[in-house]
């Protein structure tokens, strides 16, 4: 297809898709505001700093951001091809069904 993935249009397209997913998740979870009331202490008041959702999110961010920063140059060279994206899509689609 010879799509220039380093073009500014495709980078903006990727950002808009991600923002759309975040916005959809926010809209989906908005009716469940009661969840946010129990965020800091838990439903039974037994939540500590290690089981708090924000600290768990920060831990997950660390586990994903450090390898991605280390592999940034490699991924730019090898994972931005249409072939790699198509294979990833097929692998995910075949594991879901």
């Amino acid at each position: 297809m010879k799509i220039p993935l380093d073009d500014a249009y495709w980078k903006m397209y990727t950002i808009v898709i991600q923002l759309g997913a975040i916005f959809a998740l926010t809209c989906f979870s908005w009716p469940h505001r009661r969840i946010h009331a129990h965020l800091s202490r838990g439903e039974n008041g037994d939540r500590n700093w290690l089981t708090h959702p924000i600290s768990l999110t920060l831990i997950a961010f660390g586990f994903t951001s450090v390898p991605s920063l280390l592999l940034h140059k490699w991924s730019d060279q090898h994972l931005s091809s249409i072939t790699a994206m198509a294979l990833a899509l097929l692998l995910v689609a075949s594991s879901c069904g």
Side-chain angles (χ1 to χ4, degrees), residues 29-49:
S29 66
W30 187 255
H32 305 288
R33 287 183 301 254
R34 195 183 88 149
I35 293 171
H36 303 297
H38 300 291
L39 192 63
S40 62
R41 64 183 186 287
E43 287 187 36
N44 300 325
D46 58 351
R47 180 163 293 146
N48 59 23
W49 70 271

Side-chain angles (χ1 to χ4, degrees), residues 49-90:
W49 70 271
L50 191 57
T51 59
H52 195 278
I54 294 175
S55 62
L56 292 173
T57 302
L58 290 174
I59 292 169
F61 175 76
F63 276 104
T64 55
S65 65
V66 171
S68 66
L69 286 174
L70 294 174
L71 296 172
H72 178 68
K73 288 183 182 180
W74 180 86
S75 65
D76 279 349
Q77 293 172 353
H78 299 289
L79 298 180
S80 62
S81 70
I82 294 292
T83 306
M85 290 182 202
L87 287 174
L89 179 64
L90 289 173

Side-chain angles (χ1 to χ4, degrees), residues 1-18 80 82 85:
M1 291 174 47
K2 298 184 181 177
I3 298 173
L5 297 177
D6 57 346
D7 186 35
Y9 173 80
W10 293 108
K11 289 182 181 184
M12 179 57 87
Y13 178 78
T14 305
I15 292 169
V16 169
I17 285 177
Q18 296 299 320
S80 62
I82 294 292
M85 290 182 202

